[in-house]
Amino acid sequence: MARKMEKKSARILAFLLALIMIGSVFAYMMRSGSAEKREVEFRLDDFRSYVNWTPDGVYYIQYYNFTYLAQLEANDPMKDYVNSKLQNVLVSAVFSRAVLEITSGISQILVANYMTAIPLYFVDANMGKVYFAKEDETKYGNFTLQVRKGGIALVDQTSPVIVGYKPLVERVIDVIEGKNVSTGKETYRYLSRINGSFAYAFIMYGEPAKASFRSGNKSIVDFFFEGYRYNFVNNSYEKIWALHFLGNYFFGGMNESEKNFEYYKVKNFKDGLSIAVMEDKNFTKVVEAMPNILSWQISYNITE
């Protein structure tokens, strides 16, 4: 009995260290020390692969990389920026010490929002043991779903762990088993051209992107990516925008009087994808930076 109590107390202590969740983003980062391992059948590392597991029809995706943020100073403004966004996407019905315990900390989270009360989460638990306050178990495809009230389910046979609204978790399994369409079908051809790692990224495509970027009553974009990272060589912050334009639009250059940030570079592809890199040592300036969107103006002068 004493050993059981010690083991339970140790798990609770580890959980408190890893999941003082809503208070600070850095509680999610990987901790040092040993932890119980779990066996997984699928292992992903890059957020682009996470997106390839995300079922089609998502409204928007947010990605958080805490291992990346750990490289920055404690009072870095980008940490505060990412932390403030994180607080809006973690629901207590999942991220509560009464529900979820991750023994080895969390290094990445991808949040897929389908406009449901409980989103879909991909949680990189660093191969550590995951404890979930399940009330039942059920088989779905080749996987075991741990289920609790409120329609919440978790699958820990994958890395990242899949947790969230049960129908969405089931749809991820369908993607893995080739029975459902992935978001990556529409986005990977764009994401694969956005180089590097990111501390935070926001992704939107399809109808939500079309509704967000309009010129008059016309949609001009069907894919949008915004990512933040730190340039450790220049000691400055970068914001990357990538848009897939519909029609004759592209990113144009800027002269020094037009921009209020230090560095600006654009690349336009033949298929309509445009990528802009905006950089400055002042993080606020980077947050406010916007690329220059131009359009080819075509006119006709037909004479007989």
Side-chain angles (χ1 to χ4, degrees):
M1 179 65 72
R3 288 186 177 180
K4 288 183 179 180
M5 290 299 293
E6 287 175 4
K7 186 175 181 181
K8 183 177 180 181
S9 298
R11 290 215 313 260
I12 292 173
L13 177 59
F15 180 71
L16 289 172
L17 291 173
L19 299 179
I20 308 172
M21 283 197 163
I22 307 302
S24 172
V25 65
F26 306 109
Y28 291 95
M29 294 186 305
M30 186 187 301
R31 302 193 314 278
S32 60
S34 61
E36 297 178 81
K37 299 292 184 182
R38 74 185 196 281
E39 294 186 7
V40 303
E41 298 182 25
F42 293 89
R43 169 76 174 163
L44 301 177
D45 293 314
D46 184 76
F47 78 92
R48 298 165 184 84
S49 300
Y50 286 29
V51 173
N52 284 340
W53 270 10
T54 304
D56 192 27
V58 63
Y59 188 74
Y60 63 82
I61 293 171
Q62 294 184 59
Y63 168 74
Y64 300 84
N65 188 332
F66 310 120
T67 302
Y68 190 104
L69 288 167
Q71 303 174 67
L72 305 177
E73 297 293 333
N75 60 348
D76 192 282
M78 189 157 69
K79 283 187 173 182
D80 293 335
Y81 179 81
V82 174
N83 186 44
S84 66
K85 290 188 173 296
L86 182 66
Q87 309 316 313
N88 296 324
V89 298
L90 298 182
V91 297
S92 59
V94 175
F95 293 96
S96 162
R97 64 185 184 182
V99 177
L100 181 65
E101 177 184 345
I102 296 175
T103 59
S104 56
I106 300 172
S107 57
Q108 303 174 82
I109 290 181
L110 184 142
V111 186
N113 193 307
Y114 292 83
M115 307 307 286
T116 55
I118 306 295
L120 178 66
Y121 298 97
F122 295 87
V123 182
D124 189 342
N126 302 304
M127 306 300 290
K129 190 75 174 178
V130 175
Y131 296 92
F132 185 65
K134 65 183 179 183
E135 296 166 338
D136 194 11
E137 281 189 356
T138 182
K139 288 288 292 184
Y140 189 86
N142 295 314
F143 293 85
T144 299
L145 267 64
Q146 302 178 43
V147 183
R148 62 178 280 106
K149 62 184 178 181
I152 301 170
L154 176 140
V155 174
D156 66 357
Q157 298 157 275
T158 60
S159 181
V161 171
I162 307 163
V163 62
Y165 185 44
K166 182 173 176 285
L168 296 177
V169 174
E170 292 172 344
R171 286 179 63 193
V172 177
I173 294 174
D174 289 340
V175 169
I176 294 172
E177 297 185 343
K179 302 172 185 176
N180 195 11
V181 178
S182 163
T183 292
K185 181 180 179 181
E186 298 297 328
T187 63
Y188 187 78
R189 63 182 179 270
Y190 308 134
L191 291 174
S192 61
R193 283 176 272 176
I194 304 170
N195 298 323
S197 300
F198 294 88
Y200 169 77
F202 179 94
I203 302 165
M204 182 183 287
Y205 78 101
E207 293 305 318
K210 290 179 181 179
S212 299
F213 291 84
R214 303 181 68 86
S215 177
N217 62 355
K218 180 182 178 182
S219 298
I220 66 169
V221 166
D222 65 357
F223 169 83
F224 170 70
F225 172 93
E226 179 179 82
Y228 288 87
R229 63 191 179 201
Y230 192 77
N231 187 323
F232 291 95
V233 175
N234 296 342
N235 294 318
S236 57
Y237 303 95
E238 291 183 353
K239 177 165 78 172
I240 287 78
W241 266 29
L243 277 68
H244 180 253
F245 287 106
L246 304 171
N248 297 317
Y249 296 89
F250 60 97
F251 287 154
M254 288 184 188
N255 60 41
E256 292 302 314
S257 63
E258 290 178 302
K259 61 184 177 69
N260 64 346
F261 50 94
E262 291 179 3
Y263 177 84
Y264 179 64
K265 181 180 180 181
V266 300
K267 184 172 183 178
N268 296 299
F269 295 87
K270 291 182 179 179
D271 65 350
L273 180 68
S274 291
I275 299 175
V277 179
M278 294 154 282
E279 182 178 335
D280 199 286
K281 290 181 169 57
N282 184 315
F283 183 68
T284 300
K285 288 185 177 181
V286 168
V287 171
E288 296 173 350
M290 296 283 288
N292 192 16
I293 299 177
L294 301 177
S295 174
W296 294 108
Q297 299 297 323
I298 302 174
S299 61
Y300 297 90
N301 184 13
I302 301 174
T303 58
E304 295 183 358

